[in-house]
PDB file of all heavy atoms in Angstrom:
ATOM      1  N   LEU F   1     -67.971  -7.441  61.932  1.00  0.00           N
ATOM      2  CA  LEU F   1     -69.423  -7.475  61.780  1.00  0.00           C
ATOM      3  C   LEU F   1     -70.112  -8.413  62.756  1.00  0.00           C
ATOM      4  O   LEU F   1     -71.297  -8.711  62.599  1.00  0.00           O
ATOM      5  CB  LEU F   1     -69.782  -7.884  60.347  1.00  0.00           C
ATOM      6  CG  LEU F   1     -69.205  -7.002  59.237  1.00  0.00           C
ATOM      7  CD1 LEU F   1     -69.609  -7.546  57.878  1.00  0.00           C
ATOM      8  CD2 LEU F   1     -69.654  -5.567  59.391  1.00  0.00           C
ATOM      9  N   THR F   2     -69.398  -8.895  63.761  1.00  0.00           N
ATOM     10  CA  THR F   2     -69.989  -9.856  64.683  1.00  0.00           C
ATOM     11  C   THR F   2     -70.906  -9.194  65.704  1.00  0.00           C
ATOM     12  O   THR F   2     -71.722  -9.861  66.320  1.00  0.00           O
ATOM     13  CB  THR F   2     -68.887 -10.633  65.424  1.00  0.00           C
ATOM     14  OG1 THR F   2     -68.018  -9.701  66.106  1.00  0.00           O
ATOM     15  CG2 THR F   2     -68.068 -11.453  64.442  1.00  0.00           C
ATOM     16  N   GLY F   3     -70.781  -7.893  65.914  1.00  0.00           N
ATOM     17  CA  GLY F   3     -71.633  -7.207  66.882  1.00  0.00           C
ATOM     18  C   GLY F   3     -72.992  -6.863  66.302  1.00  0.00           C
ATOM     19  O   GLY F   3     -73.364  -7.274  65.207  1.00  0.00           O
ATOM     20  N   ASP F   4     -73.761  -6.064  67.046  1.00  0.00           N
ATOM     21  CA  ASP F   4     -75.107  -5.691  66.630  1.00  0.00           C
ATOM     22  C   ASP F   4     -75.144  -4.363  65.881  1.00  0.00           C
ATOM     23  O   ASP F   4     -76.126  -4.072  65.200  1.00  0.00           O
ATOM     24  CB  ASP F   4     -76.027  -5.578  67.859  1.00  0.00           C
ATOM     25  CG  ASP F   4     -76.213  -6.915  68.559  1.00  0.00           C
ATOM     26  OD1 ASP F   4     -76.106  -7.943  67.873  1.00  0.00           O
ATOM     27  OD2 ASP F   4     -76.457  -6.912  69.781  1.00  0.00           O
ATOM     28  N   ARG F   5     -74.104  -3.548  65.975  1.00  0.00           N
ATOM     29  CA  ARG F   5     -74.163  -2.196  65.415  1.00  0.00           C
ATOM     30  C   ARG F   5     -73.905  -2.167  63.917  1.00  0.00           C
ATOM     31  O   ARG F   5     -74.388  -1.286  63.219  1.00  0.00           O
ATOM     32  CB  ARG F   5     -73.156  -1.291  66.122  1.00  0.00           C
ATOM     33  CG  ARG F   5     -73.486  -1.055  67.591  1.00  0.00           C
ATOM     34  CD  ARG F   5     -72.568  -0.041  68.217  1.00  0.00           C
ATOM     35  NE  ARG F   5     -72.671   1.238  67.554  1.00  0.00           N
ATOM     36  CZ  ARG F   5     -71.676   1.806  66.870  1.00  0.00           C
ATOM     37  NH1 ARG F   5     -70.516   1.189  66.749  1.00  0.00           N
ATOM     38  NH2 ARG F   5     -71.850   2.976  66.298  1.00  0.00           N
ATOM     39  N   TYR F   6     -73.112  -3.106  63.410  1.00  0.00           N
ATOM     40  CA  TYR F   6     -72.785  -3.119  61.986  1.00  0.00           C
ATOM     41  C   TYR F   6     -73.510  -4.274  61.294  1.00  0.00           C
ATOM     42  O   TYR F   6     -73.381  -5.426  61.705  1.00  0.00           O
ATOM     43  CB  TYR F   6     -71.273  -3.281  61.771  1.00  0.00           C
ATOM     44  CG  TYR F   6     -70.440  -2.192  62.398  1.00  0.00           C
ATOM     45  CD1 TYR F   6     -69.613  -2.465  63.484  1.00  0.00           C
ATOM     46  CD2 TYR F   6     -70.461  -0.895  61.898  1.00  0.00           C
ATOM     47  CE1 TYR F   6     -68.836  -1.478  64.058  1.00  0.00           C
ATOM     48  CE2 TYR F   6     -69.681   0.103  62.467  1.00  0.00           C
ATOM     49  CZ  TYR F   6     -68.874  -0.197  63.550  1.00  0.00           C
ATOM     50  OH  TYR F   6     -68.109   0.786  64.116  1.00  0.00           O
ATOM     51  N   VAL F   7     -74.237  -3.941  60.231  1.00  0.00           N
ATOM     52  CA  VAL F   7     -74.943  -4.957  59.446  1.00  0.00           C
ATOM     53  C   VAL F   7     -74.713  -4.652  57.973  1.00  0.00           C
ATOM     54  O   VAL F   7     -74.885  -3.513  57.534  1.00  0.00           O
ATOM     55  CB  VAL F   7     -76.456  -4.964  59.747  1.00  0.00           C
ATOM     56  CG1 VAL F   7     -77.161  -5.986  58.865  1.00  0.00           C
ATOM     57  CG2 VAL F   7     -76.709  -5.278  61.223  1.00  0.00           C
ATOM     58  N   VAL F   8     -74.320  -5.669  57.202  1.00  0.00           N
ATOM     59  CA  VAL F   8     -74.159  -5.531  55.755  1.00  0.00           C
ATOM     60  C   VAL F   8     -75.218  -6.377  55.071  1.00  0.00           C
ATOM     61  O   VAL F   8     -75.290  -7.591  55.277  1.00  0.00           O
ATOM     62  CB  VAL F   8     -72.747  -5.964  55.302  1.00  0.00           C
ATOM     63  CG1 VAL F   8     -72.638  -5.904  53.779  1.00  0.00           C
ATOM     64  CG2 VAL F   8     -71.680  -5.073  55.938  1.00  0.00           C
ATOM     65  N   THR F   9     -76.063  -5.717  54.259  1.00  0.00           N
ATOM     66  CA  THR F   9     -77.126  -6.395  53.521  1.00  0.00           C
ATOM     67  C   THR F   9     -77.057  -5.985  52.063  1.00  0.00           C
ATOM     68  O   THR F   9     -77.179  -4.796  51.751  1.00  0.00           O
ATOM     69  CB  THR F   9     -78.509  -6.032  54.088  1.00  0.00           C
ATOM     70  OG1 THR F   9     -78.531  -6.318  55.497  1.00  0.00           O
ATOM     71  CG2 THR F   9     -79.602  -6.833  53.398  1.00  0.00           C
ATOM     72  N   ASN F  10     -76.853  -6.951  51.188  1.00  0.00           N
ATOM     73  CA  ASN F  10     -76.742  -6.688  49.751  1.00  0.00           C
ATOM     74  C   ASN F  10     -75.713  -5.592  49.465  1.00  0.00           C
ATOM     75  O   ASN F  10     -75.912  -4.740  48.594  1.00  0.00           O
ATOM     76  CB  ASN F  10     -78.103  -6.295  49.166  1.00  0.00           C
ATOM     77  CG  ASN F  10     -79.114  -7.410  49.248  1.00  0.00           C
ATOM     78  OD1 ASN F  10     -78.760  -8.583  49.163  1.00  0.00           O
ATOM     79  ND2 ASN F  10     -80.368  -7.060  49.431  1.00  0.00           N
ATOM     80  N   GLY F  11     -74.623  -5.607  50.217  1.00  0.00           N
ATOM     81  CA  GLY F  11     -73.554  -4.637  50.006  1.00  0.00           C
ATOM     82  C   GLY F  11     -73.686  -3.383  50.835  1.00  0.00           C
ATOM     83  O   GLY F  11     -72.690  -2.692  51.094  1.00  0.00           O
ATOM     84  N   LYS F  12     -74.902  -3.021  51.273  1.00  0.00           N
ATOM     85  CA  LYS F  12     -75.120  -1.789  52.037  1.00  0.00           C
ATOM     86  C   LYS F  12     -74.691  -1.976  53.491  1.00  0.00           C
ATOM     87  O   LYS F  12     -75.014  -2.979  54.131  1.00  0.00           O
ATOM     88  CB  LYS F  12     -76.593  -1.389  51.982  1.00  0.00           C
ATOM     89  CG  LYS F  12     -76.935  -0.190  52.874  1.00  0.00           C
ATOM     90  CD  LYS F  12     -78.414   0.069  52.953  1.00  0.00           C
ATOM     91  CE  LYS F  12     -78.948   0.615  51.671  1.00  0.00           C
ATOM     92  NZ  LYS F  12     -80.357   1.035  51.786  1.00  0.00           N
ATOM     93  N   LEU F  13     -73.950  -0.984  54.003  1.00  0.00           N
ATOM     94  CA  LEU F  13     -73.532  -0.989  55.408  1.00  0.00           C
ATOM     95  C   LEU F  13     -74.513  -0.159  56.221  1.00  0.00           C
ATOM     96  O   LEU F  13     -74.797   0.996  55.891  1.00  0.00           O
ATOM     97  CB  LEU F  13     -72.126  -0.416  55.547  1.00  0.00           C
ATOM     98  CG  LEU F  13     -71.622  -0.221  56.988  1.00  0.00           C
ATOM     99  CD1 LEU F  13     -71.489  -1.557  57.710  1.00  0.00           C
ATOM    100  CD2 LEU F  13     -70.295   0.531  57.001  1.00  0.00           C
ATOM    101  N   ARG F  14     -75.012  -0.755  57.310  1.00  0.00           N
ATOM    102  CA  ARG F  14     -75.932  -0.061  58.219  1.00  0.00           C
ATOM    103  C   ARG F  14     -75.299  -0.012  59.599  1.00  0.00           C
ATOM    104  O   ARG F  14     -74.872  -1.047  60.127  1.00  0.00           O
ATOM    105  CB  ARG F  14     -77.272  -0.793  58.271  1.00  0.00           C
ATOM    106  CG  ARG F  14     -78.352  -0.080  59.077  1.00  0.00           C
ATOM    107  CD  ARG F  14     -79.666  -0.863  58.979  1.00  0.00           C
ATOM    108  NE  ARG F  14     -80.780  -0.158  59.579  1.00  0.00           N
ATOM    109  CZ  ARG F  14     -81.123  -0.249  60.866  1.00  0.00           C
ATOM    110  NH1 ARG F  14     -80.431  -1.042  61.686  1.00  0.00           N
ATOM    111  NH2 ARG F  14     -82.146   0.427  61.335  1.00  0.00           N
ATOM    112  N   VAL F  15     -75.226   1.187  60.165  1.00  0.00           N
ATOM    113  CA  VAL F  15     -74.655   1.393  61.492  1.00  0.00           C
ATOM    114  C   VAL F  15     -75.727   2.022  62.365  1.00  0.00           C
ATOM    115  O   VAL F  15     -76.246   3.103  62.055  1.00  0.00           O
ATOM    116  CB  VAL F  15     -73.417   2.311  61.449  1.00  0.00           C
ATOM    117  CG1 VAL F  15     -72.774   2.406  62.832  1.00  0.00           C
ATOM    118  CG2 VAL F  15     -72.408   1.796  60.427  1.00  0.00           C
ATOM    119  N   ALA F  16     -76.083   1.365  63.473  1.00  0.00           N
ATOM    120  CA  ALA F  16     -77.142   1.886  64.332  1.00  0.00           C
ATOM    121  C   ALA F  16     -76.910   1.451  65.776  1.00  0.00           C
ATOM    122  O   ALA F  16     -76.646   0.275  66.027  1.00  0.00           O
ATOM    123  CB  ALA F  16     -78.508   1.397  63.851  1.00  0.00           C
ATOM    124  N   PRO F  17     -77.016   2.397  66.722  1.00  0.00           N
ATOM    125  CA  PRO F  17     -77.122   3.837  66.478  1.00  0.00           C
ATOM    126  C   PRO F  17     -75.731   4.423  66.217  1.00  0.00           C
ATOM    127  O   PRO F  17     -74.726   3.887  66.701  1.00  0.00           O
ATOM    128  CB  PRO F  17     -77.712   4.353  67.788  1.00  0.00           C
ATOM    129  CG  PRO F  17     -77.177   3.401  68.827  1.00  0.00           C
ATOM    130  CD  PRO F  17     -77.101   2.059  68.156  1.00  0.00           C
ATOM    131  N   ALA F  18     -75.675   5.523  65.487  1.00  0.00           N
ATOM    132  CA  ALA F  18     -74.394   6.145  65.160  1.00  0.00           C
ATOM    133  C   ALA F  18     -73.782   6.801  66.401  1.00  0.00           C
ATOM    134  O   ALA F  18     -74.488   7.361  67.236  1.00  0.00           O
ATOM    135  CB  ALA F  18     -74.571   7.177  64.063  1.00  0.00           C
ATOM    136  N   GLN F  19     -72.466   6.714  66.499  1.00  0.00           N
ATOM    137  CA  GLN F  19     -71.712   7.357  67.568  1.00  0.00           C
ATOM    138  C   GLN F  19     -70.652   8.263  66.954  1.00  0.00           C
ATOM    139  O   GLN F  19     -70.280   8.105  65.784  1.00  0.00           O
ATOM    140  CB  GLN F  19     -71.043   6.307  68.454  1.00  0.00           C
ATOM    141  CG  GLN F  19     -72.005   5.323  69.089  1.00  0.00           C
ATOM    142  CD  GLN F  19     -71.297   4.217  69.847  1.00  0.00           C
ATOM    143  OE1 GLN F  19     -70.069   4.184  69.917  1.00  0.00           O
ATOM    144  NE2 GLN F  19     -72.069   3.296  70.418  1.00  0.00           N
ATOM    145  N   ARG F  20     -70.153   9.214  67.731  1.00  0.00           N
ATOM    146  CA  ARG F  20     -69.143  10.117  67.193  1.00  0.00           C
ATOM    147  C   ARG F  20     -67.898   9.357  66.760  1.00  0.00           C
ATOM    148  O   ARG F  20     -67.216   9.749  65.830  1.00  0.00           O
ATOM    149  CB  ARG F  20     -68.767  11.173  68.234  1.00  0.00           C
ATOM    150  CG  ARG F  20     -69.897  12.134  68.574  1.00  0.00           C
ATOM    151  CD  ARG F  20     -69.383  13.404  69.203  1.00  0.00           C
ATOM    152  NE  ARG F  20     -68.540  14.159  68.280  1.00  0.00           N
ATOM    153  CZ  ARG F  20     -67.900  15.281  68.608  1.00  0.00           C
ATOM    154  NH1 ARG F  20     -67.994  15.756  69.841  1.00  0.00           N
ATOM    155  NH2 ARG F  20     -67.166  15.921  67.722  1.00  0.00           N
ATOM    156  N   SER F  21     -67.617   8.225  67.423  1.00  0.00           N
ATOM    157  CA  SER F  21     -66.452   7.422  67.056  1.00  0.00           C
ATOM    158  C   SER F  21     -66.620   6.752  65.695  1.00  0.00           C
ATOM    159  O   SER F  21     -65.658   6.205  65.156  1.00  0.00           O
ATOM    160  CB  SER F  21     -66.185   6.361  68.124  1.00  0.00           C
ATOM    161  OG  SER F  21     -67.316   5.513  68.293  1.00  0.00           O
ATOM    162  N   ASP F  22     -67.837   6.789  65.131  1.00  0.00           N
ATOM    163  CA  ASP F  22     -68.049   6.213  63.807  1.00  0.00           C
ATOM    164  C   ASP F  22     -67.579   7.135  62.693  1.00  0.00           C
ATOM    165  O   ASP F  22     -67.591   6.740  61.522  1.00  0.00           O
ATOM    166  CB  ASP F  22     -69.533   5.882  63.598  1.00  0.00           C
ATOM    167  CG  ASP F  22     -70.000   4.743  64.488  1.00  0.00           C
ATOM    168  OD1 ASP F  22     -69.234   3.792  64.680  1.00  0.00           O
ATOM    169  OD2 ASP F  22     -71.137   4.816  65.006  1.00  0.00           O
ATOM    170  N   SER F  23     -67.192   8.352  63.009  1.00  0.00           N
ATOM    171  CA  SER F  23     -66.654   9.254  61.996  1.00  0.00           C
ATOM    172  C   SER F  23     -65.366   8.672  61.422  1.00  0.00           C
ATOM    173  O   SER F  23     -64.561   8.073  62.145  1.00  0.00           O
ATOM    174  CB  SER F  23     -66.377  10.635  62.595  1.00  0.00           C
ATOM    175  OG  SER F  23     -67.568  11.225  63.084  1.00  0.00           O
ATOM    176  N   GLY F  24     -65.176   8.829  60.126  1.00  0.00           N
ATOM    177  CA  GLY F  24     -63.964   8.310  59.502  1.00  0.00           C
ATOM    178  C   GLY F  24     -64.150   8.090  58.020  1.00  0.00           C
ATOM    179  O   GLY F  24     -65.149   8.509  57.413  1.00  0.00           O
ATOM    180  N   LEU F  25     -63.196   7.401  57.417  1.00  0.00           N
ATOM    181  CA  LEU F  25     -63.198   7.113  55.986  1.00  0.00           C
ATOM    182  C   LEU F  25     -63.590   5.655  55.771  1.00  0.00           C
ATOM    183  O   LEU F  25     -62.901   4.748  56.240  1.00  0.00           O
ATOM    184  CB  LEU F  25     -61.822   7.389  55.382  1.00  0.00           C
ATOM    185  CG  LEU F  25     -61.708   7.212  53.865  1.00  0.00           C
ATOM    186  CD1 LEU F  25     -62.517   8.289  53.149  1.00  0.00           C
ATOM    187  CD2 LEU F  25     -60.253   7.261  53.426  1.00  0.00           C
ATOM    188  N   TYR F  26     -64.686   5.429  55.047  1.00  0.00           N
ATOM    189  CA  TYR F  26     -65.206   4.093  54.814  1.00  0.00           C
ATOM    190  C   TYR F  26     -64.964   3.688  53.354  1.00  0.00           C
ATOM    191  O   TYR F  26     -65.157   4.497  52.437  1.00  0.00           O
ATOM    192  CB  TYR F  26     -66.695   4.032  55.116  1.00  0.00           C
ATOM    193  CG  TYR F  26     -67.022   4.092  56.593  1.00  0.00           C
ATOM    194  CD1 TYR F  26     -66.962   5.292  57.288  1.00  0.00           C
ATOM    195  CD2 TYR F  26     -67.382   2.950  57.292  1.00  0.00           C
ATOM    196  CE1 TYR F  26     -67.263   5.367  58.633  1.00  0.00           C
ATOM    197  CE2 TYR F  26     -67.694   3.005  58.648  1.00  0.00           C
ATOM    198  CZ  TYR F  26     -67.618   4.215  59.311  1.00  0.00           C
ATOM    199  OH  TYR F  26     -67.907   4.278  60.647  1.00  0.00           O
ATOM    200  N   VAL F  27     -64.558   2.444  53.163  1.00  0.00           N
ATOM    201  CA  VAL F  27     -64.291   1.898  51.834  1.00  0.00           C
ATOM    202  C   VAL F  27     -65.030   0.577  51.701  1.00  0.00           C
ATOM    203  O   VAL F  27     -64.977  -0.270  52.599  1.00  0.00           O
ATOM    204  CB  VAL F  27     -62.784   1.696  51.598  1.00  0.00           C
ATOM    205  CG1 VAL F  27     -62.530   0.962  50.287  1.00  0.00           C
ATOM    206  CG2 VAL F  27     -62.055   3.032  51.592  1.00  0.00           C
ATOM    207  N   CYS F  28     -65.727   0.412  50.595  1.00  0.00           N
ATOM    208  CA  CYS F  28     -66.405  -0.845  50.273  1.00  0.00           C
ATOM    209  C   CYS F  28     -65.430  -1.740  49.512  1.00  0.00           C
ATOM    210  O   CYS F  28     -64.804  -1.295  48.539  1.00  0.00           O
ATOM    211  CB  CYS F  28     -67.653  -0.550  49.438  1.00  0.00           C
ATOM    212  SG  CYS F  28     -68.541  -2.004  48.872  1.00  0.00           S
ATOM    213  N   VAL F  29     -65.292  -2.985  49.950  1.00  0.00           N
ATOM    214  CA  VAL F  29     -64.342  -3.923  49.348  1.00  0.00           C
ATOM    215  C   VAL F  29     -65.117  -5.089  48.740  1.00  0.00           C
ATOM    216  O   VAL F  29     -65.913  -5.737  49.414  1.00  0.00           O
ATOM    217  CB  VAL F  29     -63.343  -4.447  50.395  1.00  0.00           C
ATOM    218  CG1 VAL F  29     -62.330  -5.393  49.738  1.00  0.00           C
ATOM    219  CG2 VAL F  29     -62.626  -3.286  51.079  1.00  0.00           C
ATOM    220  N   ALA F  30     -64.896  -5.329  47.441  1.00  0.00           N
ATOM    221  CA  ALA F  30     -65.518  -6.450  46.741  1.00  0.00           C
ATOM    222  C   ALA F  30     -64.437  -7.450  46.374  1.00  0.00           C
ATOM    223  O   ALA F  30     -63.408  -7.077  45.806  1.00  0.00           O
ATOM    224  CB  ALA F  30     -66.245  -5.970  45.482  1.00  0.00           C
ATOM    225  N   ALA F  31     -64.637  -8.717  46.702  1.00  0.00           N
ATOM    226  CA  ALA F  31     -63.601  -9.727  46.456  1.00  0.00           C
ATOM    227  C   ALA F  31     -64.232 -11.045  46.040  1.00  0.00           C
ATOM    228  O   ALA F  31     -65.286 -11.435  46.538  1.00  0.00           O
ATOM    229  CB  ALA F  31     -62.740  -9.921  47.708  1.00  0.00           C
ATOM    230  N   ASN F  32     -63.575 -11.716  45.112  1.00  0.00           N
ATOM    231  CA  ASN F  32     -63.882 -13.098  44.777  1.00  0.00           C
ATOM    232  C   ASN F  32     -62.583 -13.800  44.412  1.00  0.00           C
ATOM    233  O   ASN F  32     -61.495 -13.255  44.638  1.00  0.00           O
ATOM    234  CB  ASN F  32     -64.938 -13.203  43.658  1.00  0.00           C
ATOM    235  CG  ASN F  32     -64.436 -12.657  42.330  1.00  0.00           C
ATOM    236  OD1 ASN F  32     -63.276 -12.274  42.186  1.00  0.00           O
ATOM    237  ND2 ASN F  32     -65.312 -12.622  41.348  1.00  0.00           N
ATOM    238  N   MET F  33     -62.683 -14.994  43.858  1.00  0.00           N
ATOM    239  CA  MET F  33     -61.477 -15.769  43.548  1.00  0.00           C
ATOM    240  C   MET F  33     -60.600 -15.083  42.510  1.00  0.00           C
ATOM    241  O   MET F  33     -59.393 -15.339  42.432  1.00  0.00           O
ATOM    242  CB  MET F  33     -61.882 -17.162  43.048  1.00  0.00           C
ATOM    243  CG  MET F  33     -62.626 -17.992  44.081  1.00  0.00           C
ATOM    244  SD  MET F  33     -63.321 -19.504  43.367  1.00  0.00           S
ATOM    245  CE  MET F  33     -61.836 -20.259  42.710  1.00  0.00           C
ATOM    246  N   ALA F  34     -61.200 -14.180  41.713  1.00  0.00           N
ATOM    247  CA  ALA F  34     -60.446 -13.530  40.639  1.00  0.00           C
ATOM    248  C   ALA F  34     -59.673 -12.307  41.108  1.00  0.00           C
ATOM    249  O   ALA F  34     -58.784 -11.831  40.407  1.00  0.00           O
ATOM    250  CB  ALA F  34     -61.395 -13.131  39.512  1.00  0.00           C
ATOM    251  N   GLY F  35     -60.017 -11.769  42.280  1.00  0.00           N
ATOM    252  CA  GLY F  35     -59.293 -10.588  42.745  1.00  0.00           C
ATOM    253  C   GLY F  35     -60.092  -9.788  43.741  1.00  0.00           C
ATOM    254  O   GLY F  35     -61.087 -10.261  44.307  1.00  0.00           O
ATOM    255  N   GLU F  36     -59.660  -8.528  43.947  1.00  0.00           N
ATOM    256  CA  GLU F  36     -60.278  -7.648  44.940  1.00  0.00           C
ATOM    257  C   GLU F  36     -60.314  -6.233  44.394  1.00  0.00           C
ATOM    258  O   GLU F  36     -59.378  -5.782  43.731  1.00  0.00           O
ATOM    259  CB  GLU F  36     -59.486  -7.693  46.252  1.00  0.00           C
ATOM    260  CG  GLU F  36     -60.062  -6.838  47.371  1.00  0.00           C
ATOM    261  CD  GLU F  36     -59.286  -6.998  48.671  1.00  0.00           C
ATOM    262  OE1 GLU F  36     -59.316  -8.094  49.252  1.00  0.00           O
ATOM    263  OE2 GLU F  36     -58.622  -6.021  49.088  1.00  0.00           O
ATOM    264  N   ARG F  37     -61.410  -5.530  44.659  1.00  0.00           N
ATOM    265  CA  ARG F  37     -61.570  -4.142  44.237  1.00  0.00           C
ATOM    266  C   ARG F  37     -62.031  -3.312  45.429  1.00  0.00           C
ATOM    267  O   ARG F  37     -62.822  -3.782  46.246  1.00  0.00           O
ATOM    268  CB  ARG F  37     -62.590  -4.014  43.104  1.00  0.00           C
ATOM    269  CG  ARG F  37     -62.256  -4.813  41.852  1.00  0.00           C
ATOM    270  CD  ARG F  37     -61.151  -4.174  41.041  1.00  0.00           C
ATOM    271  NE  ARG F  37     -60.964  -4.892  39.787  1.00  0.00           N
ATOM    272  CZ  ARG F  37     -60.123  -5.913  39.634  1.00  0.00           C
ATOM    273  NH1 ARG F  37     -59.410  -6.342  40.682  1.00  0.00           N
ATOM    274  NH2 ARG F  37     -59.993  -6.521  38.466  1.00  0.00           N
ATOM    275  N   GLU F  38     -61.546  -2.062  45.494  1.00  0.00           N
ATOM    276  CA  GLU F  38     -61.965  -1.140  46.551  1.00  0.00           C
ATOM    277  C   GLU F  38     -62.673   0.056  45.931  1.00  0.00           C
ATOM    278  O   GLU F  38     -62.252   0.567  44.894  1.00  0.00           O
ATOM    279  CB  GLU F  38     -60.771  -0.667  47.388  1.00  0.00           C
ATOM    280  CG  GLU F  38     -60.161  -1.751  48.252  1.00  0.00           C
ATOM    281  CD  GLU F  38     -59.172  -1.188  49.265  1.00  0.00           C
ATOM    282  OE1 GLU F  38     -58.908   0.031  49.215  1.00  0.00           O
ATOM    283  OE2 GLU F  38     -58.663  -1.968  50.095  1.00  0.00           O
ATOM    284  N   SER F  39     -63.759   0.492  46.591  1.00  0.00           N
ATOM    285  CA  SER F  39     -64.510   1.646  46.123  1.00  0.00           C
ATOM    286  C   SER F  39     -63.767   2.932  46.500  1.00  0.00           C
ATOM    287  O   SER F  39     -62.724   2.903  47.161  1.00  0.00           O
ATOM    288  CB  SER F  39     -65.900   1.656  46.755  1.00  0.00           C
ATOM    289  OG  SER F  39     -65.805   1.969  48.148  1.00  0.00           O
ATOM    290  N   ARG F  40     -64.330   4.053  46.088  1.00  0.00           N
ATOM    291  CA  ARG F  40     -63.823   5.338  46.565  1.00  0.00           C
ATOM    292  C   ARG F  40     -64.054   5.427  48.071  1.00  0.00           C
ATOM    293  O   ARG F  40     -64.925   4.751  48.624  1.00  0.00           O
ATOM    294  CB  ARG F  40     -64.542   6.493  45.869  1.00  0.00           C
ATOM    295  CG  ARG F  40     -66.028   6.599  46.266  1.00  0.00           C
ATOM    296  CD  ARG F  40     -66.713   7.819  45.665  1.00  0.00           C
ATOM    297  NE  ARG F  40     -66.215   9.042  46.235  1.00  0.00           N
ATOM    298  CZ  ARG F  40     -66.691   9.607  47.351  1.00  0.00           C
ATOM    299  NH1 ARG F  40     -67.681   9.016  48.005  1.00  0.00           N
ATOM    300  NH2 ARG F  40     -66.201  10.719  47.800  1.00  0.00           N
ATOM    301  N   GLY F  41     -63.275   6.252  48.745  1.00  0.00           N
ATOM    302  CA  GLY F  41     -63.462   6.447  50.171  1.00  0.00           C
ATOM    303  C   GLY F  41     -64.620   7.397  50.444  1.00  0.00           C
ATOM    304  O   GLY F  41     -64.741   8.453  49.809  1.00  0.00           O
ATOM    305  N   ALA F  42     -65.500   7.020  51.357  1.00  0.00           N
ATOM    306  CA  ALA F  42     -66.639   7.855  51.748  1.00  0.00           C
ATOM    307  C   ALA F  42     -66.347   8.457  53.120  1.00  0.00           C
ATOM    308  O   ALA F  42     -66.125   7.730  54.093  1.00  0.00           O
ATOM    309  CB  ALA F  42     -67.918   7.039  51.776  1.00  0.00           C
TER     310      ALA F  42
END
């Protein structure tokens, strides 16, 4: 997330501008000291 194309705000991922290489399977990962959970693949 260090570049300009990917931004995460309140959990939402924003990719701009989209490129064909952005096609793929995306998973949201939530983690704290108690553990880690993964969302369904989008």
Side-chain angles (χ1 to χ4, degrees):
L1 303 178
T2 57
D4 295 332
R5 294 186 61 245
Y6 301 111
V7 177
V8 176
T9 305
N10 296 328
K12 174 188 289 187
L13 174 64
R14 186 176 187 272
V15 185
Q19 302 174 1
R20 294 200 64 184
S21 58
D22 292 321
S23 299
L25 184 68
Y26 288 76
V27 173
C28 176
V29 182
N32 66 5
M33 297 170 57
E36 181 176 294
R37 301 285 186 270
E38 291 191 355
S39 71
R40 68 175 292 273

